[in-house]
Amino acid sequence: MIWPLRKSPTWNEINYWALDLETSGLEPSDQILSVGMVPIRGGVIEFGAHYYSLVRPVRPQALSVEGIQAHHILPSELEAAPPLAQVLDEITQRIGRDVLVLHYGSIDLGFLRQGYKALGRRWVRPVVVDTAVLLARLGERQRQLEPHSKPYPSGLRAARARLGLPPHLEHHALWDALATAELFLALRHRLQARTLHQLI
Amino acid sequence: MNPLDFIRAHAPFNLLPAEALEQVERGLEIAFFPENSKVLARHGSKSQHLYMIRKGTARLERDGQTMMYLEEGEVFGYPSLISQDTPAFDVIAEEDLLIYRWSERVFRELMSHRPFAEFFTKGLAARLRLVTRQEGLEVTPIDLSLPVSDLVTRPPVFIARDATVQEAAKAMREHQISSILVEGNPLGILTDRDLRNRVLAEGKGPQTPLADVMSSPAKTLPASTPLFEALTFMVHQGIHHLPLEQDGRIVGVVTDTVFMRQQARSPLHLLRRLERTRNPEDLKGYSQELSGIAESLLAGGLGASEIGRSVSSLNDHLVRTLLRLAEERLGPPPTPYAWIVFGSEGRMEQALLTDQDNALVYAEETPEAQRYFAGLAGYVVGGLIQAGFPPCPGGYMATRWCKPIAEWQRLFQHWVKMPTPQELLEAQIFFDFRSVYGELSLEPLERIVASSGEESIFLAHLAKASLHFRPPIGFFRQIREEDGGVDIKKGGIAPIVSLARVHALEAGSLAKSTVERLKIAAQENKLSPEGAETLIEAFGFLMKIRLRQQLTNLRQELPPDNKIRLEQLSSLERRHLKEAFLQIREMQEAMGQRFHTDRLG
């Protein structure tokens, strides 16, 4: 771990980046089309420092109609976008030693790792807080108190609604990343997590 | 909705120019405050941010007492930011709060945009003006509240008093004008029409002395007169050219064609129509035309009180027209009389068609007079119904309220000397009476009204009656809707009207309009100047949103009512409605204490 010699820091001493990727699909053969990142510093989302970019696909001919219907990114918009190598640089530079906040992180992490490897770069898995995992934890805790209570929904939109957060524009990397960041703040409070350790 | 769309939809960010939105986005921070946590602490450290609620409700507290609730889209934290003082309230999350916020630095940058800055720095009064200005309806064709001299395009042209009509005609051709002013005292004027009607048609020659055919003294108005008043004056006087005077000299002439060109639906047209009316049947469609005029006056940027005055003077004209027709039919009255109007008509605050509130006062009681005035009242009330005025449900119409002046005196004496709460509740609108037509002097009644302020029991009862309607503000300072809306007549307009009435009567004033009454009350120290100003602004604001709502109803062929649906107001208007209600409530409480209304049965 990064903090081997001292006890885990308080949650809001850490800087986080909520991140979301839009991809052409969920298969390993699919490609990253856009990325959105929103930093959380001192427990507050600094929206002004967000990063959002489209990604020029390596194989534009492989984009599916279903994908376009879901994320509304048109192939023509992608032509002028920076290539993945450049976007990954931007991502790496921002994350540094910060913690990633993802919703169902294994998917996004899989695409990131694949992207790094395809470009022949070394992949260092960052510390990740997964809001889907936090939701499951919250659900579990609730079931211990009330065995027959309704489980927490795991989808981003439904989970936010359950926690009283407003609807957001879905299937857009930036707004999904922001939605994840807000969900993270709400969940952190519900779980009464004080240290980073309690969140990962 | 993405954050920027949300922010941009709410005040004061909707007052920012598009190019400032980038600053807003760059400076945006988003914070989460769980239920019951403190966002700001009273006497704690000063606010570091401007806050806007994205989701949830916040509670303002003072010594553990809830003062107010803030909802989605509302901003807070700025008084402390501006004054650099510690917050005046605890701000507590009533439920989980998702908050947008901007640092002090960004806030200061945004304050360089004036409309945005004004939202924070002006008092309630000025903020209400801001709402009405920013969210006025359509584009302004012509602002009728501007001074009439704004329409003057050239200096006046004079001619010597001993000139001939030919010389005058030459000068008019040379300057391309339709009228010329004649030097000397009193001032004279000669117009195109005079050359046609008084010279050519009369077979007079070019050498006719000008002085024989001109109009003198010419009717003039001060150059600072508001456009719409000048307009009414011209129609009233039947003149087409109006010389304007400033510091004892004539600065220009306006013509009615200028008005007609500026305004398709001018009160002028309706007045012309009334002048041509020969039969109550001709009055069908009057109400539609009236609302069309109100609409164009509103679009012309007039405030609700100017529109009310305009509409009321048109309706006065209507009543006079009907009375003249009635007298033609029934013959001259056996004894002098006065046709009086009261309520909103008396105060000249009519918006659109309101119920009829009228009565008849005549000098001497005889069987003949009874018969004559019953016929007269029946004719006029019937004509008003033809024109589209619904009969008054409470029955305050001249058909029922038709009495000799001695009886009216007894009635007013009774209300003033031996008031009962229920009677005053109904009778208070009589204290707004105004004579519209007739020879009879109402001085005896006016004397009673003017001295009613000396009767403390009367004032206390009147004060109590004025507390009958309360602003629909809940225990936690939220606006309460009933049957899907807020009745702003009962909740706002009526309370202000009756507050103003009590204070004006207390000051011994005969003023009738609410605004005038409030001003006089402040002059006479019956009301603080700030209190009066706040009520005046709140009154104008409430009247305006009601008028707008009623015009919308009419366009959708719904009956005009006093219900405002909150979701149809912008968030800025909602906030001001709330503040207006809160102010009214405060003033009502002050009045209750002042007159000890709680000690009355």
Side-chain angles (χ1 to χ4, degrees):
Chain A
M1 289 304 298
I2 307 173
W3 311 274
L5 298 177
R6 45 177 283 206
K7 73 186 191 43
S8 178
T10 339
W11 78 276
N12 56 9
E13 283 175 334
I14 302 292
N15 294 338
Y16 305 79
W17 282 92
L19 179 146
D20 184 65
L21 302 176
E22 290 298 311
T23 57
S24 58
L26 295 177
E27 299 302 318
S29 61
D30 279 307
Q31 319 172 60
I32 298 175
L33 300 181
S34 68
V35 57
M37 294 173 73
V38 180
I40 304 168
R41 293 170 189 148
V44 172
I45 301 166
E46 293 188 2
F47 182 77
H50 71 260
Y51 171 68
Y52 173 73
S53 178
L54 294 172
V55 181
R56 193 193 310 159
V58 186
R59 301 175 306 279
Q61 66 285 356
L63 297 180
S64 73
V65 176
E66 294 80 11
I68 292 169
Q69 281 169 349
H71 48 61
H72 288 107
I73 299 172
L74 300 173
S76 58
E77 295 179 81
L78 296 172
E79 278 167 27
L84 183 61
Q86 194 182 323
V87 173
L88 287 182
D89 280 344
E90 298 275 355
I91 297 175
T92 316
Q93 207 182 76
R94 282 184 171 73
I95 298 176
R97 311 184 85 192
D98 295 350
V99 173
L100 273 190
V101 178
L102 306 167
H103 192 69
Y104 280 115
S106 58
I107 300 168
D108 296 299
L109 287 174
F111 274 102
L112 285 176
R113 185 177 53 230
Q114 191 184 315
Y116 275 83
K117 288 201 165 153
L119 292 165
R121 299 186 187 181
R122 203 166 73 89
W123 163 251
V124 184
R125 189 188 189 278
V127 180
V128 170
V129 173
D130 190 325
T131 44
V133 172
L134 297 185
L135 274 167
R137 205 178 292 167
L138 186 62
E140 214 171 287
R141 192 179 288 184
Q142 186 182 277
R143 263 192 307 283
Q144 284 171 0
L145 298 169
E146 307 167 61
H148 301 292
S149 61
K150 238 173 40 191
Y152 273 86
S154 60
L156 186 53
R157 176 198 190 86
R160 282 172 59 90
R162 176 73 175 273
L163 290 169
L165 294 168
H168 71 290
L169 279 177
E170 292 175 278
H171 305 300
H172 182 288
L174 179 60
W175 307 129
D176 278 345
L178 175 60
T180 305
E182 292 173 352
L183 179 63
F184 165 70
L185 293 181
L187 283 170
R188 202 286 315 161
H189 166 71
R190 290 292 173 101
L191 289 164
Q192 292 292 309
R194 304 205 182 286
T195 64
L196 178 65
H197 182 72
Q198 293 170 313
L199 287 164
I200 50 180
Chain B
M1 195 188 280
N2 78 44
L4 259 287
D5 288 339
F6 180 86
I7 294 161
R8 210 166 38 195
H10 291 86
F13 293 92
N14 59 350
L15 303 168
L16 282 172
E19 65 266 22
L21 291 172
E22 208 200 306
Q23 278 170 293
V24 173
E25 179 173 353
R26 244 184 299 129
L28 172 62
E29 299 176 1
I30 303 168
F32 177 83
F33 289 90
E35 187 178 329
N36 291 326
S37 61
K38 226 176 237 186
V39 185
L40 291 173
R42 184 177 184 212
H43 303 320
S45 51
K46 75 174 191 63
S47 174
Q48 310 278 332
H49 297 90
L50 170 67
Y51 296 85
M52 173 183 264
I53 300 179
R54 171 61 184 92
K55 188 78 202 288
T57 307
R59 186 168 78 222
L60 299 194
E61 273 189 8
R62 194 173 235 166
D63 302 326
Q65 270 213 310
T66 300
M67 307 302 286
M68 188 188 270
Y69 281 88
L70 296 174
E71 287 148 53
E72 241 179 75
E74 298 198 281
V75 291
F76 63 91
Y78 56 87
S80 164
L81 261 189
I82 292 171
S83 66
Q84 298 288 314
D85 275 343
T86 63
F89 298 100
D90 289 318
V91 181
I92 296 162
E94 171 75 8
E95 47 193 11
D96 286 354
L97 277 180
L98 190 61
I99 292 280
Y100 289 169
R101 69 180 203 194
W102 293 266
S103 70
E104 184 170 347
R105 185 185 55 81
V106 178
F107 177 68
R108 301 232 174 264
E109 277 170 27
L110 294 174
M111 289 292 269
S112 65
H113 300 282
R114 242 183 85 198
F116 182 87
E118 279 173 1
F119 175 88
F120 298 104
T121 51
K122 299 265 161 114
L124 171 71
R127 296 224 309 259
L128 290 173
R129 268 199 294 274
L130 196 66
V131 182
T132 33
R133 192 171 69 230
Q134 285 290 335
E135 306 183 15
L137 285 180
E138 291 110 67
V139 199
T140 309
I142 176 177
D143 186 343
L144 290 166
S145 60
L146 290 176
V148 62
S149 52
D150 280 19
L151 289 187
V152 172
T153 50
R154 59 162 88 208
V157 180
F158 285 92
I159 194 162
R161 216 175 180 87
D162 57 4
T164 64
V165 291
Q166 186 175 28
E167 284 162 340
K170 271 189 186 164
M172 286 162 75
R173 184 180 63 189
E174 190 186 320
H175 292 279
Q176 296 184 315
I177 48 178
S178 56
S179 67
I180 194 160
L181 298 172
V182 185
E183 285 170 356
N185 200 1
L187 180 76
I189 188 169
L190 183 81
T191 69
D192 273 351
R193 261 192 191 72
D194 298 334
L195 286 173
R196 186 179 69 224
N197 298 344
R198 297 182 191 164
V199 181
L200 289 176
E202 296 291 323
K204 289 184 176 157
Q207 299 311 314
T208 309
L210 176 58
D212 290 359
V213 291
M214 69 177 181
S215 306
S216 179
K219 297 190 168 74
T220 67
L221 279 184
S224 59
T225 313
L227 271 175
F228 81 100
E229 268 178 22
L231 184 77
T232 317
F233 178 80
M234 288 170 77
V235 180
H236 217 90
Q237 301 289 332
I239 56 174
H240 304 270
H241 299 83
L242 176 67
L244 301 174
E245 176 197 6
Q246 192 174 4
D247 305 326
R249 56 188 195 90
I250 300 299
V251 293
V253 178
V254 288
T255 61
D256 62 351
T257 47
V258 176
F259 282 112
M260 302 276 212
R261 225 179 299 136
Q262 300 278 9
Q263 251 205 323
R265 291 188 295 189
S266 152
L268 259 158
H269 298 282
L270 191 54
L271 278 166
R272 290 266 152 89
R273 186 177 151 190
L274 283 175
E275 279 164 10
R276 288 195 305 267
T277 298
R278 290 287 161 268
N279 192 315
E281 293 282 307
D282 301 344
L283 293 170
K284 284 213 177 95
Y286 174 90
S287 62
Q288 283 89 328
E289 258 186 75
L290 190 69
S291 55
I293 287 167
E295 202 164 0
S296 90
L297 294 176
L298 187 66
L302 280 197
S305 59
E306 286 93 350
I307 295 173
R309 248 190 296 162
S310 238
V311 166
S312 299
S313 66
L314 280 169
N315 289 340
D316 286 356
H317 247 273
L318 171 67
V319 168
R320 288 188 202 113
T321 305
L322 283 167
L323 281 164
R324 268 185 224 114
L325 293 175
E327 284 184 18
E328 275 171 32
R329 270 173 60 117
L330 303 171
T335 175
Y337 74 97
W339 183 276
I340 60 173
V341 292
F342 41 91
S344 64
E345 227 177 323
R347 299 188 302 271
M348 299 201 91
E349 285 161 5
Q350 269 178 308
L352 290 175
L353 292 183
T354 45
D355 303 333
Q356 296 190 29
D357 280 323
N358 48 45
L360 213 150
V361 188
Y362 55 91
E364 276 180 53
E365 174 77 314
T366 58
E368 192 202 352
Q370 264 181 24
R371 221 177 15 254
Y372 179 88
F373 290 114
L376 191 83
Y379 185 90
V380 175
V381 167
L384 288 172
I385 293 171
Q386 288 268 9
F389 285 85
C392 174
Y396 291 115
M397 291 188 295
T399 37
R400 217 182 110 198
W401 292 83
C402 180
K403 303 175 193 299
I405 191 157
E407 204 173 310
W408 281 106
Q409 271 173 277
R410 275 197 295 278
L411 253 178
F412 272 88
Q413 292 282 13
H414 169 77
W415 287 328
V416 171
K417 298 279 182 200
M418 282 176 292
T420 70
Q422 189 53 36
E423 271 180 342
L424 268 194
L425 197 56
E426 290 172 12
Q428 53 177 339
I429 55 168
F430 278 106
F431 288 80
D432 304 341
F433 77 83
R434 182 167 63 84
S435 172
V436 172
Y437 186 83
E439 310 274 287
L440 183 67
S441 159
L442 298 178
E443 215 248 305
L445 301 184
E446 280 164 1
R447 253 200 326 263
I448 302 173
V449 173
S451 58
S452 64
E454 294 155 18
E455 305 291 336
S456 54
I457 309 271
F458 165 74
L459 281 185
H461 276 290
L462 201 63
K464 187 166 183 182
S466 81
L467 301 180
H468 185 72
F469 292 120
R470 300 291 194 144
I473 286 284
F475 189 65
F476 291 120
R477 299 198 162 206
Q478 280 154 314
I479 300 179
R480 274 199 317 259
E481 285 189 283
E482 265 170 33
D483 309 324
V486 176
D487 187 327
I488 63 163
K489 182 179 179 187
K490 281 188 190 165
I493 294 170
I496 298 179
V497 163
S498 24
L499 277 169
R501 185 187 293 118
V502 175
H503 287 301
L505 290 178
E506 189 194 7
S509 164
L510 282 173
K512 298 290 154 62
S513 95
T514 299
V515 170
E516 218 182 312
R517 281 173 165 173
L518 289 169
K519 283 183 183 159
I520 287 168
Q523 277 162 22
E524 301 292 319
N525 284 326
K526 305 297 175 197
L527 204 56
S528 73
E530 303 78 41
E533 201 201 346
T534 303
L535 283 182
I536 288 170
E537 292 296 339
F539 184 66
F541 171 71
L542 294 170
M543 294 284 277
K544 196 154 190 163
I545 56 175
R546 177 172 75 166
L547 179 61
R548 200 177 59 190
Q549 175 74 36
Q550 293 189 339
L551 288 169
T552 311
N553 280 9
L554 287 175
R555 241 178 280 135
Q556 297 166 351
E557 299 186 4
L558 299 168
D561 61 13
N562 296 301
K563 271 268 159 70
I564 302 288
R565 264 163 280 285
L566 286 183
E567 80 261 13
Q568 286 171 350
L569 299 180
S570 70
S571 62
L572 187 55
E573 286 172 330
R574 269 205 297 274
R575 164 186 279 272
H576 289 315
L577 186 63
K578 179 151 105 180
E579 288 187 39
F581 282 161
L582 288 171
Q583 290 290 343
I584 295 168
R585 188 168 78 173
E586 207 173 285
M587 305 289 258
Q588 282 188 328
E589 276 161 15
M591 160 120 102
Q593 283 173 9
R594 206 159 118 81
F595 291 100
H596 304 294
T597 51
D598 53 326
R599 292 194 206 154
L600 297 172

